[in-house]
Structure formats: structure tokens, C-alpha cells
Amino acid sequence: MDVPFLSFRATMDITRGAMLRAFEQFHDSGWYILGSRLKSFEANYSAYNHAGHCIGVSNGLDALTLALKVLGIGPGDEVIVPSHTFIASVLAVTHVGATPVFAEPDPATCTIDPTQIEAVTGPKTRAIMPVHLYGQACEMDRIMEIAGKRHLLVIEDNAQAQGSSFRGKPTGSWGQINATSFYPGKNLGGLGDGGAVTTDHADYADRARMLRNYGSAIKYEHEIAGYNMRLDELQAAILDVKLPYLDSWNRMRQQAAQWYLERLGQVGDLILPVTHPGSDHVYHLFVVRSSKRDELQAHLQSNGVGTLIHYPIPAHLQKAYQYLGYERGDFPIAESIAASCLSLPMFPGISEEEVDYVSECIKQFFGGG
Ligand SMILES: *Cc1c(COP(=O)(O)O)cnc(C)c1O
């Protein structure tokens, strides 16, 4: 049997008809940028996400960068980011000229540890960027409390967790301004690049709309030096078709995670994902850990099972960030996760038979049957 790491087959089957109709209407409309489809998706996504405003943008990295720009974060400011995250969270901080300060994750959940946030907060700290990594909401109640006490802003990186929540409040609705990505592989993904900023503050929303469109509210009048960071009408139309299915697709991911968890307890030195009791985990990724990670990955590969590593090199050890002056050993928890993590096949529509097969291959590797 071959089990791909990611397959769009089930979700494509469900939306194919509506998708082709949406494309035809889009094509025939003769209006391709900043039109009614974008407005419609922004209204639907902000309602879904319990956020006052949604501003569609070009991709997740641009959404994060725009959010920081809107808050006026720049040179001389420090932003706390997790030491274990996708590089884009850190890139956004350095792209606005601010300095990333890393906080270690909770080794159980792999999301930023609130205690560590307090430990690295200093006089230059302006903001915290919690990342709902792998689809699990960070401990947002504690993070918001620390931010309130220390007068820090919060920008959530919700690229991996659309539809998740912490104690019932959706991720992407906690921070002053938040960012998400609609990259095809995300829980809500377009057929190309896309992203969004969400906020409850009308003035931040206005500024974000202006910044994404050359710093202009009235055509050819430029109040601020903006960007071209717009979300295409076509991607907005596609995302509007998919949004109503997001919750059911997240439930399918959670069912698949349950199948894995039932089969992989007490297997070798495998560490299974742990969910914080307050967090609704939407399993963008199903990440296990093992000291024999590379051998396990090779074994699965030779048995037709696709896996990936999220992520093999922490930001502080990337060549791009050499200038920050960090060394191996500076963030031992992030380094240990990077050295041991392995993402198993996970997508809406993965069958129980496929999860069975992957699990059997893993047990076979550890000699347990
Ligand atoms: C995917 C991702 C991003 C960036 O999104 P793009 O649309 O690919 O630019 C940012 N942060 C995290 C945590 C992501 O997973």
C-alpha cells in the first residue's frame, strides 16, 4: 500500500462542481482584483473567525509582515517568537526591521511556553507572536494575561490552525491583529497563495487595507508607503467555496488523529502528540517524535509511506540568522524537537485502513509486531 503524506483527493471530490462554477462566474465577471468575491470571502471569514474585520492578502508571510507594520513595530523593537516554528514567523519580524527574541516551547505540546515568554520579556519587548503550531492553540489565556501585565501587543500566527480554539475562543481572534495563510496545504487552503489579517480594531483594519494596496484608500492618492499584498479575486472565490467545509474537514483530521493515538501508544520510544486540555487541536500535522527519527523515516519511505519533518533546523541555527549570533545549545528544547520530530500522513479523507497500515509499519520498525 502507498500512503501519501498529503492528498487533496477527498476535498477536491467534494468541492469540484462548485469550484468549476465559481471559476466560470469569476472568468465571465471581467473583474479580477479587489472586487465582490474578495469582499464576500472577507465577510465570511471574519464571521467564521469571530473577528470584526478580515483583510485578504497575498500569503501568510505577507499577512504577518502587514500585521507588524500596522502596529508600527520596527527597528529597535523586540518581538517574542517561539524557538520552534516555521521560518515565516521569524522572517516577518526581521522584514519590518525588528529583532526576534526566542522563547522555548513546552516540550509536551511543542507550542510556546508562557513561562518562557515572561523570562525573555525585557524593556525593548513590544509584542508576542504565539504560533498555533501543528494545529494546536497556544495557551492564549495565560499569554494574553502576560501581555496585559507587561503592556505588550499580541499577533497570532494562525497559519496552521484555522478552526481551532482555546477554551472556546477561536485562534486568530485573541491578539490585537492576527495573521493566517491559505497556502494549499493548510487546513483552509486555496489553489495557490493566499493569506489574511484579522482584527477587531477598525483603525488597524483600515491601515491594513491601505498598506496592502500601495498605501492608498483613494486611487492614486498615497497616504503611506504601502505594498502590493492583495488577495486575488480568484483565490477569494475558491476559498469561499471551501470555507463551509472547514469544520467537517477538521473533524476528519481529528478522527484520523484518534486512530493514530489508539494504535501507537507504547510503541518503541515514540512520543505522541499531547493536547493541552483547553486547546482544540485541529491537526494540521500529526507529529510524533523518536530518537531513531531518520531510520524510522527511511523505513516508512521504503514501505510507501510519505512523511515530512516540521522543521529540521530551528530559526536560530539557520544561515539567514547567523548575524543574530546564536549557537547550537542556545535553545535545547527546540533543537531536540527538530532532531526527533516526524510528521505522519494527515489530511481530510485519510482512511482507517491507511492509518492502520502506517501504524503497522511503525510497530514493525520498533520490532513490536
Ligand atoms: C505556512 C506558514 C506561514 C506562511 O504562510 P505562507 O502563505 O506560506 O507565506 C507562516 N507561519 C506558519 C506557522 C506557517 O505554517
Side-chain angles (χ1 to χ4, degrees):
M1 187 190 276
D2 275 1
V3 185
F5 172 71
L6 171 63
S7 164
F8 294 118
R9 65 186 184 223
T11 53
M12 276 192 315
D13 281 352
I14 291 168
T15 56
R16 191 169 191 280
M19 213 56 112
L20 296 183
R21 279 193 300 280
F23 179 78
E24 199 167 12
Q25 286 168 7
F26 155 79
H27 177 272
D28 294 349
S29 75
W31 191 284
Y32 305 123
I33 294 282
L34 295 182
S36 61
R37 285 161 186 83
L38 179 61
K39 274 213 174 67
S40 160
F41 174 69
E42 287 175 340
N44 291 331
Y45 191 78
S46 61
Y48 174 84
N49 199 44
H50 299 193
H53 309 270
C54 166
I55 299 92
V57 299
S58 33
N59 57 62
L61 173 57
D62 284 352
L64 288 165
T65 309
L66 198 63
L68 291 166
K69 271 276 173 196
V70 164
L71 296 176
I73 291 170
D77 297 331
E78 290 180 356
V79 178
I80 298 173
V81 291
S83 53
H84 177 62
T85 182
F86 180 54
I87 196 73
S89 322
V90 188
L91 287 174
V93 174
T94 57
H95 284 349
V96 300
T99 305
V101 171
F102 298 105
E104 287 268 71
D106 176 332
T109 60
C110 298
T111 56
I112 196 165
D113 180 346
T115 315
Q116 295 295 318
I117 294 177
E118 290 219 86
V120 300
T121 299
K124 290 183 183 168
T125 312
R126 284 281 314 280
I128 310 168
M129 184 185 288
V131 181
H132 307 300
L133 202 70
Y134 302 158
Q136 164 151 219
C138 299
E139 283 179 66
M140 288 313 297
D141 51 356
R142 283 180 68 196
I143 293 172
M144 295 312 291
E145 191 188 314
I146 295 166
K149 213 167 54 188
R150 304 284 198 128
H151 307 289
L152 304 177
L153 297 160
V154 174
I155 304 108
E156 293 172 74
D157 179 342
N158 196 31
Q160 300 194 356
Q162 294 114 356
S164 175
S165 58
F166 191 80
R167 301 204 195 286
K169 183 171 164 57
T171 55
S173 74
W174 291 78
Q176 279 76 25
I177 183 163
N178 309 301
T180 195
S181 160
F182 305 122
Y183 178 81
K186 308 294 190 191
N187 288 35
L188 179 62
L191 302 179
D193 275 314
V197 162
T198 52
T199 181
D200 276 339
H201 300 261
D203 47 339
Y204 291 161
D206 288 345
R207 205 171 160 80
R209 277 206 184 85
M210 230 187 261
L211 277 168
R212 80 166 168 191
N213 190 38
Y214 313 122
S216 166
I218 299 165
K219 210 170 170 79
Y220 307 128
E221 287 182 27
H222 305 274
E223 285 178 48
I224 40 181
Y227 306 90
N228 178 350
M229 291 185 173
R230 300 176 302 231
L231 178 65
D232 280 354
E233 279 286 283
L234 176 57
Q235 294 307 327
I238 284 163
L239 290 162
D240 239 351
V241 170
K242 289 178 116 184
L243 181 59
Y245 297 97
L246 176 57
D247 284 342
S248 70
W249 289 342
N250 281 343
R251 299 295 90 81
M252 289 160 93
R253 290 174 182 273
Q254 290 171 334
Q255 171 65 78
Q258 204 49 47
W259 288 330
Y260 275 127
L261 292 169
E262 284 161 12
R263 284 158 181 77
L264 292 174
Q266 315 291 319
V267 176
D269 74 345
L270 211 61
I271 298 173
L272 298 177
V274 171
T275 306
H276 186 282
S279 176
D280 181 31
H281 198 324
V282 293
Y283 292 99
H284 173 60
L285 298 168
F286 189 89
V287 181
V288 299
R289 281 178 278 164
S290 167
S291 64
K292 302 185 186 69
R293 189 266 312 276
D294 293 339
E295 297 93 315
L296 175 60
Q297 184 176 39
H299 174 80
L300 290 171
Q301 179 70 45
S302 66
N303 283 282
V305 176
T307 60
L308 285 175
I309 296 168
H310 297 93
Y311 298 90
I313 306 169
H316 72 281
L317 298 178
Q318 294 283 359
K319 201 168 159 202
Y321 289 125
Q322 235 167 18
Y323 71 90
L324 293 172
Y326 291 109
E327 287 171 20
R328 191 164 291 280
D330 284 345
F331 299 100
I333 301 174
E335 290 169 30
S336 138
I337 295 171
S340 60
C341 65
L342 186 66
S343 305
L344 302 181
M346 172 54 79
F347 49 89
I350 189 172
S351 69
E352 191 166 10
E353 289 67 38
E354 287 173 311
V355 171
D356 249 337
Y357 177 73
V358 176
S359 304
E360 284 311 311
C361 290
I362 294 172
K363 287 184 194 166
Q364 190 190 55
F365 172 79
F366 286 108

